[in-house]
Amino acid sequence: MIAQLETLNENLTLSLPYSIKGLVQVFTSTHRSFFTSVTAQALRIAGQGTPVLIVQFLKGGINQGHERPIRLGQNLDWIRCDLPRCIDTPHLDESETQALQKLWQHTQKVVCEAKYSLVVLDELSLAINFGLIPETEVIAFLAKRPAHVDIILTGPDMPKSILEVADQITEIRRSHQP
């Protein structure tokens, strides 16, 4: 048992007699307190040996740009926008706009390289609604991604065009007990 735990399986290739189609999943809510459940799903999948990337477009402040990902375990990379603050407005200065665009370009590149099997794009709907990432680019990105890559998009007020291409939509609502 110990030998199994110590054995790295980075070069393990899985050959299936059929192809698995990746899903586009949307998690949306009017409040912003559901990222924990999406993170738990990403950690569970990474723990099973699947490469996972979490991208937080509007979070900053901890020196965690795409050049310095936080690595959780062997299979989960976590990156944020390389900014000293979190983005909560559509009004960015030039350096902030460049940092966000670098993160978006990097994300598209690594997804198209099929480096990860699951990619979580946190608060992407806010970045779209703020006009920071064009909705048409996101739709094109989803269409051209490798067929086996699962994408999870999160955020409130997800654009209708993205909901139309989603394979699964999860709307998180608060329940009120009388």
Side-chain angles (χ1 to χ4, degrees), residues 150-171:
D150 289 316
I151 304 285
I152 296 177
L153 304 124
T154 73
D157 300 320
M158 192 65 66
K160 186 177 180 181
S161 62
I162 292 176
L163 295 175
E164 289 174 354
V165 300
D167 297 298
Q168 174 184 326
I169 301 167
T170 303
E171 181 182 359

Side-chain angles (χ1 to χ4, degrees), residues 35-72:
F35 184 65
T36 305
S37 61
V38 173
T39 304
Q41 180 178 345
L43 283 167
R44 184 179 67 251
I45 292 168
Q48 294 171 348
T50 302
V52 176
L53 174 66
I54 296 176
V55 182
Q56 291 188 293
F57 287 100
L58 302 184
K59 300 286 191 277
I62 60 171
N63 202 20
Q64 188 182 344
H66 72 275
E67 293 157 348
R68 292 173 303 281
I70 298 296
R71 181 156 258 210
L72 300 174

Side-chain angles (χ1 to χ4, degrees), residues 141-152:
F141 160 74
L142 293 173
K144 74 177 181 183
R145 79 186 196 287
H148 72 280
V149 175
D150 289 316
I151 304 285
I152 296 177

Side-chain angles (χ1 to χ4, degrees), residues 41-105:
Q41 180 178 345
L43 283 167
R44 184 179 67 251
I45 292 168
Q48 294 171 348
T50 302
V52 176
L53 174 66
I54 296 176
V55 182
Q56 291 188 293
F57 287 100
L58 302 184
K59 300 286 191 277
I62 60 171
N63 202 20
Q64 188 182 344
H66 72 275
E67 293 157 348
R68 292 173 303 281
I70 298 296
R71 181 156 258 210
L72 300 174
Q74 294 177 340
N75 297 307
L76 193 145
D77 291 340
W78 191 327
I79 57 177
R80 290 180 165 190
C81 201
D82 194 13
L83 295 173
R85 69 177 183 98
C86 292
I87 299 171
D88 59 357
T89 175
H91 308 292
L92 304 181
D93 66 30
E94 185 61 31
S95 66
E96 293 172 327
T97 301
Q98 286 178 1
L100 182 66
Q101 286 304 310
K102 280 183 187 177
L103 181 59
W104 174 232
Q105 297 305 320

Side-chain angles (χ1 to χ4, degrees), residues 26 28 124-129 133 135 138-139 154-166 169:
V26 170
T28 187
L124 185 66
S125 69
L126 287 174
I128 293 168
N129 292 333
I133 296 176
E135 185 176 333
V138 174
I139 296 297
T154 73
D157 300 320
M158 192 65 66
K160 186 177 180 181
S161 62
I162 292 176
L163 295 175
E164 289 174 354
V165 300
I169 301 167

